Amino acid sequence: AQSVTQLGSHVSVSEGALVLLRCNYSSSVPPYLFWYVQYPNQGLQLLLKYTSAATLVKGINGFEAEFKKSETSFHLTKPSAHMSDAAEYFCAVSEGNEKLTFGTGTRLTIIP
Amino acid sequence: NAGVMQNPRHLVRRRGQEARLRCSPMKGHSHVYWYRQLPEEGLKFMVYLQKENIIDESGMPKERFSAEFPKEGPSILRIQQVVRGDSAAYFCASSPGTGALEQYFGPGTRLTVT
């Protein structure tokens, strides 16, 4: 069965600082991995996805994530945080069965 | 190209009433998924449908909940005899078909049961 663990339900970083949001997964087959962002009272928007091609995946808004099989991780990073990055971030895994399993989310706060 | 549409955006029901949530997928998408988000939690898969077929309903509660995606019209998530614990945000997502890995999410319907 597939599962996702997001370490840190709340993360605060200063504007301009590095953003690092952690995600570890469990999957019985090679996984597909996703990061979604949710702004208040809105739906989820896809940031980036890993589909067994390049292990370093670049997404929208300057975010990227690296798939590390040995660590079963797919951490999300951004070199320099912007105020507009404040939102909730969800990591998700799929085993190709059309069902996404989400982590519990990380709320990112940007300190001016 | 319009995105996934959900209505209503907010729905208030008294305990025991029925709730009907609608989802129109993106144009050209034939696969629909419903997820539930409880307060302070991530999204939980409920059901996956194609036109006129339920493919996977492993996340649906066994009672009071049903879903359909008719040949014509939107997908409907129906909750009968709502209880306070049904209060949540319900999100619909769509994808163009098997092998498409991305799901595109609607804005959600926030159900409040009083």
Side-chain angles (χ1 to χ4, degrees), chain A residues 31-86:
Chain A
Y32 301 109
L33 294 158
F34 307 83
W35 275 99
Y36 282 86
V37 60
Q38 184 181 32
Y39 297 100
N41 298 316
Q42 294 187 27
L44 277 69
Q45 180 182 6
L46 180 68
L47 276 177
L48 49 80
K49 62 180 180 182
Y50 167 75
T51 58
S52 74
T55 56
L56 182 62
V57 180
K58 293 188 183 299
I60 61 172
N61 301 340
F63 285 93
E64 62 182 37
E66 186 173 7
F67 172 70
K68 291 187 177 180
K69 184 179 178 181
S70 61
E71 299 177 8
T72 60
S73 69
F74 190 57
H75 302 332
L76 181 71
T77 60
K78 181 174 180 178
S80 177
H82 192 272
M83 295 300 293
S84 61
D85 295 327

Side-chain angles (χ1 to χ4, degrees), chain B residues 1-5 23-33 48-51 69-71 73 75 92-98 100-106:
Chain B
N1 185 13
V4 177
M5 310 285 285
C23 169
S24 296
M26 287 180 70
K27 186 176 180 180
H29 286 193
S30 57
H31 294 210
V32 165
Y33 315 81
Y48 160 39
L49 310 103
Q50 296 177 22
K51 286 284 188 182
F69 188 18
K71 187 177 180 181
S75 175
C92 170
S94 72
S95 75
T98 303
L101 300 172
E102 295 160 49
Q103 296 180 17
Y104 296 84
F105 282 79

Side-chain angles (χ1 to χ4, degrees), chain A residues 11-32:
Chain A
V11 171
S12 295
V13 301
S14 297
E15 190 175 13
L18 171 72
V19 175
L20 170 60
L21 304 182
R22 300 177 187 274
C23 172
N24 289 88
Y25 70 90
S26 174
S27 176
S28 56
V29 301
Y32 301 109

Side-chain angles (χ1 to χ4, degrees), chain B residues 35-101:
Chain B
Y35 293 83
R36 177 166 64 175
Q37 184 179 31
L38 294 170
E40 304 300 320
E41 294 188 17
L43 280 74
K44 303 283 192 208
F45 169 81
M46 298 180 75
V47 62
Y48 160 39
L49 310 103
Q50 296 177 22
K51 286 284 188 182
E52 300 184 281
N53 284 303
I54 296 173
I55 307 301
D56 181 348
E57 57 181 347
S58 58
M60 287 278 272
K62 295 287 185 267
E63 298 178 348
R64 303 187 298 106
F65 285 72
S66 62
E68 62 177 9
F69 188 18
K71 187 177 180 181
E72 301 290 340
S75 175
I76 306 286
L77 179 67
R78 181 184 180 203
I79 312 172
Q80 295 178 290
Q81 299 174 354
V82 296
V83 300
R84 288 230 172 99
D86 297 332
S87 295
Y90 292 83
F91 290 95
C92 170
S94 72
S95 75
T98 303
L101 300 172

